[in-house]
Amino acid sequence: MWIYEKKLQYPVRVSTCNPKLAKYLIEQYGGADGELAAALRYLNQRYSIPDKVIGLLTDIGTEEFAHLEMIATMVYKLTKDATPEQLKEAGLDAHYVNHDNALFYNNAAGVPWTAAYIQAKGDPIADLYEDIAAEEKARATYQWIINMSDDPDLNDGLRFLREREIIHAQRFREAVEILKEERDRKKFF
Amino acid sequence: MFTTRKQYHPYVSPFDPCHPICTKTYVTPPNLYIPFQPPNLPQFPLHEALKKGTLWKVFYDPYYGPYETAYKGDIQ
Ligand SMILES: [Fe+2]
């Protein structure tokens, strides 16, 4: 089970009315390397992996939902007061005719989220390597969004999220080391 | 120690249609260099760690965009 805390993991501030940024951010909402895919990927892999690393998948999978909520807040703030005309200018006209101002799990190009984005091979090493790759791809995606964004407050939040991807990648690499069982001294955090 | 930004110089043809970008950069984050975190690494103070996204100084590797003029952007 989970316990929900009614606050964001990191404060989300957006300083400019720029719905175009929402179009980019949606990549991390419903894209292949986005937060939804990450959360579902890790939490699902927990059932067929050695006990030693189940807790790690629970922790990181749970944190990804906290990240998803931050991205949702950013998109919401950027689009809630946007007129259809502004959404059109931002390239979100197709989104508008389908969803009005509602959020939806699709990527920046409008492709809906699919379970095909995530893998579960049942082989612990294969699955952890997939997770490491997913974290590096998410880190890179945050870099490309930061490159496109001129909103300093938004970038501050994106920088935090990107740093978390670095830590996640580190922990998944350590999980591989644990499963190799060749370490002379093991230490768990 | 290690660096987390690298450069390379792709081939430039005299017939390239766009103005060439002679230096390309990419990121090699700290997690590539530390296979398993050793004990007793230096930490940030707690309130700072919450802002930065990590407790561990060695893993802190912030990335800035080209519009963030207060800092040098990570791409030129
Ligand atoms: Fe992550």
Side-chain angles (χ1 to χ4, degrees), chain A residues 35 38 42 60 64 67 135 138 164-165 168:
Chain A
E35 303 293 355
Y42 306 149
I60 298 183
E64 304 295 6
H67 295 174
E135 293 295 338
R164 294 308 300 154
E165 310 298 7
H168 292 171

Side-chain angles (χ1 to χ4, degrees), chain A residues 8 10-16 73-74 77 151-157:
Chain A
L8 294 174
Y10 186 89
V12 164
R13 266 193 214 101
V14 179
S15 47
T16 50
T73 306
M74 291 172 178
K77 283 184 180 235
D151 187 320
D153 287 327
L154 188 79
N155 284 4
D156 183 63

